[in-house]
Amino acid sequence: MTPIRVLIADDQIMVRQGFTVLLNAEPGIEVIGQAVDGLDAVAQAAELAPDVVLMDVRMPRLGGIEATRQLTGPAGATVKILVLTTFDLDEYVYEALRAGASGFLLKDASAAELAQAVRVVAAGEALLAPNITKRLIAEFSRVTSSPRTPLRDRVGDLTERETEVLALIAQGLSNGEIAERLVVAEQTVKSHVGRILVKLGLRDRTQAAVFAYETGLIRPAGY
């Protein structure tokens, strides 16, 4: 089995080295490089082709948000970005998600949480724990401007059931929870999710959730 190739981008050497030790001790994961800032991360990603980049937000020269945008922007880009943050409601995390990040992880995460985060993001899933997802999305919706008409028009490409599934993704439900809510098989939900991503041209579930809120398809209670 080919290991998940990880690049760690953080301006603090202790963070880089600590995460490197933790991840290299995990089966199926290999740290292939360490970047000291966003420019270094973009350059190393181009050379090393990692599957996942652990990306700090605040770094000198080029920050994590712009580095994320540069890495995920090109057509055909497959690298997944996992944002590292000290605070679970860091305002920069919202911008990172808009820029193309697949999720975020607190820097005080345990070794097991770190490894699981890498595996989840590498598999194309969203890394947003339910309790954090709801708070994150509520704040994301609060600071997002009015729905973008072109994006709203794209919702029309979805079937009624796919639109329903998208709304549940945006609420932070897993495939299993969606299947239970809709009384269908989990595999059916996975198929719906796959078609939603293809039709909307989105990278993963995280971007699907962002899309749902940006288009105004769903709004948190109280907003």
Side-chain angles (χ1 to χ4, degrees):
M1 179 178 176
T2 303
I4 299 170
R5 295 159 53 82
V6 178
L7 173 65
I8 299 174
D10 196 293
D11 60 335
Q12 297 182 39
I13 188 171
M14 290 183 65
V15 172
R16 296 197 306 271
Q17 293 182 342
F19 281 0
T20 296
V21 170
L22 292 175
L23 288 176
N24 279 337
E26 292 288 334
I29 299 177
E30 176 187 4
V31 176
I32 59 173
Q34 297 182 25
V36 300
D37 57 33
L39 284 177
D40 193 19
V42 172
Q44 288 202 44
E47 178 183 355
L48 302 175
D51 301 306
V52 176
V53 177
L54 294 186
M55 184 77 77
D56 189 23
V57 173
R58 300 180 181 88
M59 294 184 289
R61 296 204 300 168
L62 186 69
I65 294 173
E66 181 55 33
T68 294
R69 188 173 291 113
Q70 291 187 23
L71 289 173
T72 61
T78 58
V79 63
K80 300 297 194 301
I81 309 297
L82 180 56
V83 175
L84 297 172
T85 180
T86 305
F87 307 105
D88 62 356
L89 283 180
D90 186 330
E91 63 180 292
Y92 293 103
V93 170
Y94 316 133
E95 294 302 324
L97 291 178
R98 290 191 185 97
S102 294
F104 72 98
L105 181 71
L106 299 182
K107 285 188 176 180
D108 62 358
S110 68
E113 290 171 335
L114 176 62
Q116 178 63 11
V118 168
R119 293 188 177 102
V120 166
V121 168
E125 298 291 335
L127 185 79
L128 296 170
N131 63 322
I132 295 178
T133 300
K134 293 173 184 177
R135 294 158 56 199
L136 175 67
I137 287 177
E139 179 64 12
F140 180 90
S141 181
R142 185 183 69 79
V143 302
T144 297
S145 58
S146 58
R148 304 175 185 176
T149 302
L151 291 179
R152 179 181 289 278
D153 289 344
R154 287 163 59 192
V155 176
D157 295 334
L158 303 181
T159 65
E160 182 177 349
R161 176 47 63 91
E162 287 167 352
T163 302
E164 188 175 11
V165 170
L166 175 58
L168 293 174
I169 290 174
Q171 293 175 48
L173 273 65
S174 67
N175 284 351
E177 291 168 334
I178 294 174
E180 184 176 348
R181 178 78 64 88
L182 300 180
V183 194
V184 297
E186 186 170 345
Q187 185 57 48
T188 299
V189 175
K190 289 181 180 179
S191 297
H192 285 313
V193 172
R195 285 194 292 272
I196 289 168
L197 298 181
V198 170
K199 286 184 177 182
L200 299 180
L202 301 172
R203 292 164 53 83
D204 52 35
R205 294 170 67 94
T206 306
Q207 297 307 304
V210 170
F211 176 93
Y213 281 92
E214 283 194 325
T215 58
L217 175 65
I218 185 171
R219 303 282 290 181
Y223 290 91

